[in-house]
């Protein structure tokens, strides 16, 4: 707002007059809308990408809405504030961070960055020891049943993320 020539006092008057709620530094919510936690989190932390079970939920690859949201950040990103908010944080080398990044709409119709289905499956395999077995199985079955699945891309990502051997075993059983 400051860049657009609106003073802090004018903004404060507007916020008070229309009963907007401050949800974070520089982020306000109108009283007549539901708070979109995913969208607000990404506004606050634009260097995060929703991943793992959160991405699966937004991709309709699981019916279970996660109790804790999951994000991926570049290695070296200080995510202490996210962990304090009970957000599951994964990190990856900067050269693999953007791999499979797409934008989708939240249930509140706001756009956020997540990983595509192929990357999400690879992430699950990479972190399978910390993922619920049921979520993992449902996600892999949902992926196999997708009309838009891209097995070539899945194998390409699996190689880059070094999970191709494990993925091949799962695909042998399911295909």
């Amino acid at each position: 707002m400051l860049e657009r020539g609106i003073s802090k006092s004018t903004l404060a008057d507007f916020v008070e007059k229309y009963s907007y709620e401050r949800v974070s530094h520089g982020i306000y919510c109108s009283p007549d809308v539901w708070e979109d936690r995913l969208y607000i989190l990404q506004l606050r932390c634009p260097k995060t990408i929703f991943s793992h079970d959160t991405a699966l939920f937004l991709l309709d690859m699981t019916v279970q809405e996660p109790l804790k949201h999951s994000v991926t950040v570049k290695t070296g990103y200080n995510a202490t504030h996210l962990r304090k908010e009970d957000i599951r944080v994964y990190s990856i080398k900067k050269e693999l961070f953007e791999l499979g990044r797409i934008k989708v709409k939240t249930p509140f119709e706001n756009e956020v960055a997540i990983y595509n289905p192929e990357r999400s499956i690879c992430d699950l395999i990479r972190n399978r020891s910390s993922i619920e077995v049921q979520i993992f199985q449902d996600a892999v079955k949902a992926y196999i049943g997708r009309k838009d699945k891209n097995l070539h891309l899945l194998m390409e990502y699996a190689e880059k993320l070094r999970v191709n051997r494990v993925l091949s075993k799962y695909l042998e059983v399911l295909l």
Side-chain angles (χ1 to χ4, degrees):
M1 296 308 236
L2 294 173
E3 289 172 5
R4 293 186 174 166
I6 299 170
S7 70
K8 288 182 181 181
S9 61
T10 302
L11 178 59
D13 291 343
F14 177 87
V15 166
E16 187 177 334
K17 179 178 179 180
Y18 294 102
S19 303
Y20 273 55
E21 179 187 349
R22 181 178 186 251
V23 290
S24 184
H25 179 74
I27 302 171
Y28 297 87
C29 196
S30 169
D32 61 340
V33 297
W34 289 92
E35 188 177 305
D36 186 343
R37 292 181 58 226
L38 294 172
Y39 182 63
I40 291 168
L41 177 59
Q42 200 139 79
L43 285 174
R44 286 180 37 236
C45 306
K47 294 181 180 179
T48 63
I49 298 176
F50 289 108
S51 60
H52 297 78
D53 49 353
T54 303
L56 294 175
F57 176 72
L58 293 170
L59 290 165
D60 292 324
M61 292 174 63
T62 182
V63 293
Q64 198 172 338
E65 185 172 359
L67 298 174
K68 291 171 82 169
H69 291 299
S70 300
V71 296
T72 296
V73 298
K74 291 178 190 175
T75 301
Y77 179 90
N78 183 356
T80 306
H81 64 291
L82 294 171
R83 289 186 180 95
K84 284 181 182 175
E85 293 176 41
D86 211 21
I87 294 167
R88 215 175 280 121
V89 180
Y90 298 89
S91 61
I92 193 153
K93 294 186 283 186
K94 65 180 177 181
E95 51 280 6
L96 296 172
F97 180 69
E98 293 286 332
L99 185 71
R101 183 182 191 268
I102 61 172
K103 291 238 178 189
V104 298
K105 292 194 180 228
T106 69
F108 295 98
E109 295 295 313
N110 294 303
E111 237 182 35
V112 293
I114 69 167
Y115 287 121
N116 67 13
E118 290 76 17
R119 170 66 187 262
S120 295
I121 292 296
C122 290
D123 282 344
L124 287 183
I125 292 170
R126 285 183 74 223
N127 302 103
R128 64 191 174 281
S129 62
S130 64
I131 303 291
E132 283 183 45
V133 175
Q134 191 64 49
I135 289 174
F136 180 78
Q137 290 174 343
D138 289 349
V140 173
K141 286 178 189 172
Y143 178 77
I144 296 301
R146 288 176 77 100
K147 288 183 171 47
D148 65 341
K149 70 181 171 285
N150 185 336
L151 294 173
H152 177 72
L153 186 62
L154 177 65
M155 293 309 293
E156 184 183 313
Y157 286 2
E159 198 167 310
K160 288 179 180 177
L161 295 165
R162 299 179 182 204
V163 295
N164 46 333
R165 287 190 181 145
V166 178
L167 176 63
S168 293
K169 289 178 186 175
Y170 283 109
L171 291 180
E172 282 175 23
V173 172
L174 292 167
L175 292 176

